Amino acid sequence: MSRLALLTALAALPLATPVVAQSHEGHDPHAGHQMPQPVGEPQPEPVDPSPGPTMELPPPEEAGSGPPRAADAIWGAEAMAPSRAALKREHGSTVTTWLQADRLEYQARQGHDGLLWDVQGYYGNPTSKLWLKSEGEAALGEEVEDAEVQALWSRAVAPFWDLQVGVRQDLAGETDTHAVVGIQGLAPYLFEIDAALFLSQRGDLTARIEAEVDQRITQKLILQPRVEVSLAAQDNPARKVGAGVDKIEAGLRLRYEIVPEFAPYIGIEQGWRLGDSARYARLAGEDPSVTSVVMGVRFWF
């Protein structure tokens, strides 16, 4: 090659190189893709695209370090006292009056049909209440054979549980007066429990335990199993009560809530008198085992 031709070729080389590069770029399979970083080089920190809690800053150290009643520093404790009293009264210590007829029913059974009532209510706040309870029953056309009223002071001792103390007065039959200690509340699985010990002025010790639970079939139709057990520590022939388990009552009531405050119901109840109590019942010409078809109304306000 002559010297002139060699110089011409060297001068044309810079112009030819971009043409070759452009032609290779059009066929690069990695064009537009991010190439992996070489091993050993620092990787960038991943960025969370969503502003979740992990991206929020922690509270400053001074948060919560102020006075518990900062408004006092501005308005004065005396000026804030009425507002705090209203807050306590309206949120947490609201005084409530409540009355419920849990059972107000007609009982159809072999022999003499009867009437039964079981009413209770209270006046007070969530932790302290005055309870009034009354229950009893009577055969149609006959005198009331069993009736009582209780006045109890109640104090919350645990969530959903109240300790109750007071007095019970019998209004029919042997009109004894009893001291009462009991507990009432909501057990696991929403069982409503009402249990009490009674000590009469004669020294007779008795007890009564009631348990019931609402099984909601629909929004308005509710099935309520209920059981009540009465016990006595001694014989009391005048009241036809024997020592031990005196009486067991088991019932099943189906109610329809026209509104939550008012619900008629029908059901069936079986009662048994046991031991010496059954013997006393037979001596009095009564059946110690009684089945009743019941119909009544449950209401509260």
Side-chain angles (χ1 to χ4, degrees):
M1 181 179 294
S2 66
R3 178 177 297 179
L4 179 59
L6 179 61
L7 294 174
T8 304
L10 292 175
L13 184 59
L15 299 175
T17 302
V19 175
V20 173
Q22 289 176 3
S23 62
H24 286 181
E25 185 177 352
H27 298 283
D28 186 0
H30 301 291
H33 295 267
Q34 184 178 4
M35 298 300 290
Q37 297 294 328
V39 178
E41 294 187 3
Q43 300 294 321
E45 293 292 334
V47 178
D48 189 352
S50 63
T54 56
M55 295 189 66
E56 295 179 355
L57 297 176
E61 295 182 357
E62 60 272 21
S65 61
R69 294 182 172 181
D72 291 355
I74 301 174
W75 305 105
E78 185 176 354
M80 291 300 299
S83 298
R84 291 204 169 87
L87 185 66
K88 181 179 179 182
R89 183 174 60 254
E90 297 173 1
H91 299 277
S93 294
T94 305
V95 175
T96 305
T97 301
W98 174 80
L99 178 67
Q100 174 176 293
D102 192 37
R103 293 180 296 160
L104 192 62
E105 65 190 26
Y106 177 84
Q107 297 184 332
R109 55 179 177 246
Q110 188 175 7
H112 297 284
D113 294 349
L115 299 174
L116 180 143
W117 73 89
D118 182 1
V119 181
Q120 60 181 327
Y122 65 73
Y123 172 83
N125 59 43
T127 56
S128 299
K129 303 181 184 73
L130 172 63
W131 280 82
L132 293 176
K133 303 180 181 180
S134 179
E135 61 179 272
E137 57 183 323
L140 290 181
E142 299 183 3
E143 294 183 354
V144 176
E145 59 187 69
D146 187 15
E148 67 177 48
V149 61
Q150 298 181 41
L152 307 170
W153 177 80
S154 173
R155 180 70 178 176
V157 293
F160 308 112
W161 289 99
D162 289 349
L163 177 67
Q164 299 176 335
V165 296
V167 64
R168 161 188 154 189
Q169 179 63 50
D170 295 335
L171 303 176
E174 297 293 323
T175 55
D176 292 336
T177 303
H178 307 254
V180 182
V181 177
I183 189 165
Q184 184 169 359
L186 197 62
Y189 301 100
L190 301 179
F191 280 90
E192 297 181 24
I193 305 295
D194 188 356
L197 282 173
F198 306 101
L199 180 62
S200 75
Q201 85 281 4
R202 304 172 191 268
D204 295 334
L205 181 64
T206 57
R208 187 162 59 211
I209 304 171
E210 302 175 20
E212 62 186 35
V213 62
D214 284 352
Q215 298 291 323
R216 191 171 290 275
I217 301 173
T218 68
Q219 290 296 321
K220 291 181 174 291
L221 198 61
I222 296 146
L223 186 66
Q224 183 194 63
R226 180 182 183 278
V227 64
E228 177 178 328
V229 180
S230 299
L231 305 105
Q234 63 290 304
D235 287 335
N236 188 344
R239 300 179 68 90
K240 295 184 287 188
V241 172
V245 179
D246 168 35
K247 182 172 60 176
I248 297 177
E249 294 178 351
L252 197 61
R253 291 169 174 80
L254 181 67
R255 72 174 186 267
Y256 182 81
E257 290 185 347
I258 299 174
V259 292
E261 296 86 352
F262 184 83
Y265 64 82
I266 59 173
I268 187 169
E269 182 165 287
Q270 176 68 45
W272 300 273
R273 302 191 77 96
L274 306 175
D276 286 338
S277 295
R279 182 169 61 85
Y280 292 139
R282 294 189 186 97
L283 291 175
E286 301 173 358
D287 190 345
S289 177
V290 178
T291 304
S292 302
V293 176
V294 304
M295 57 194 76
V297 63
R298 179 181 189 266
F299 65 87
W300 60 269
F301 58 86

